[in-house]
Amino acid sequence: MDLMTKQLLMKLEQWIEQDKIVRFYQSKEWRKIRAVTLRMYGSRCQQCGKKATMVHHKEAVRKRPELALRLSNLEPECKVCHNKEHPEKLAKFHKKIFENEERW
Ligand SMILES: [Zn+2]
Ligand SMILES: [Zn+2]
């Protein structure tokens, strides 16, 4: 399953360039694939088995935008495990997005 379209990929590449990647996380395509991912794994964190609230990109969106909406590149994680995956994001990105959106 892959919800990426040429059009969306072009937009996403622009957002990455402009540091507006948050727009990707607001897209209906992301919301959909995110929900599918959580459902597929029964909302269990793939690291520790607790309840997952986030969906992680194994290949980062910035590095491989073409994989951003591909089911096989996604896995659910709880907040704790997800923070461990992204130590750099805590400092680098807006804290607000990380804590409220829970979509990384
Ligand atoms: Zn976990
Ligand atoms: Zn992640």
Side-chain angles (χ1 to χ4, degrees):
M1 189 172 180
D2 191 345
L3 298 185
M4 187 57 76
T5 61
K6 262 199 181 126
Q7 207 184 12
L8 189 58
L9 183 58
M10 270 168 59
K11 273 198 230 164
L12 178 55
E13 282 168 349
Q14 273 184 348
W15 292 332
I16 292 168
E17 215 168 282
Q18 299 163 350
D19 212 18
K20 286 177 183 159
I21 207 161
V22 64
R23 299 223 179 138
F24 167 72
Y25 291 98
Q26 289 164 346
S27 69
K28 65 177 188 308
E29 290 85 356
W30 168 248
R31 286 166 201 263
K32 189 173 172 196
I33 197 85
R34 181 184 186 278
V36 170
T37 307
L38 286 169
R39 210 181 311 136
M40 197 173 91
Y41 291 93
S43 295
R44 291 288 138 205
C45 173
Q46 294 307 291
Q47 303 296 324
C48 73
K50 285 185 190 151
K51 188 173 162 49
T53 53
M54 301 188 163
V55 171
H56 173 62
H57 286 91
K58 295 184 222 174
E59 299 276 0
V61 176
R62 277 163 202 273
K63 255 198 292 180
R64 305 288 304 274
E66 73 278 15
L67 300 180
L69 294 173
R70 189 171 300 174
L71 194 57
S72 59
N73 188 41
L74 300 171
E75 65 182 10
E77 287 186 2
C78 72
K79 204 165 177 175
V80 175
C81 293
H82 196 241
N83 283 344
K84 286 181 198 159
E85 299 265 18
H86 298 285
E88 80 287 357
K89 279 188 178 162
L90 286 172
K92 220 165 144 190
F93 293 93
H94 307 289
K95 231 179 149 210
K96 206 176 114 207
I97 295 165
F98 209 1
E99 285 176 356
N100 296 342
E101 304 285 332
E102 301 194 339
R103 285 175 200 150
W104 290 104

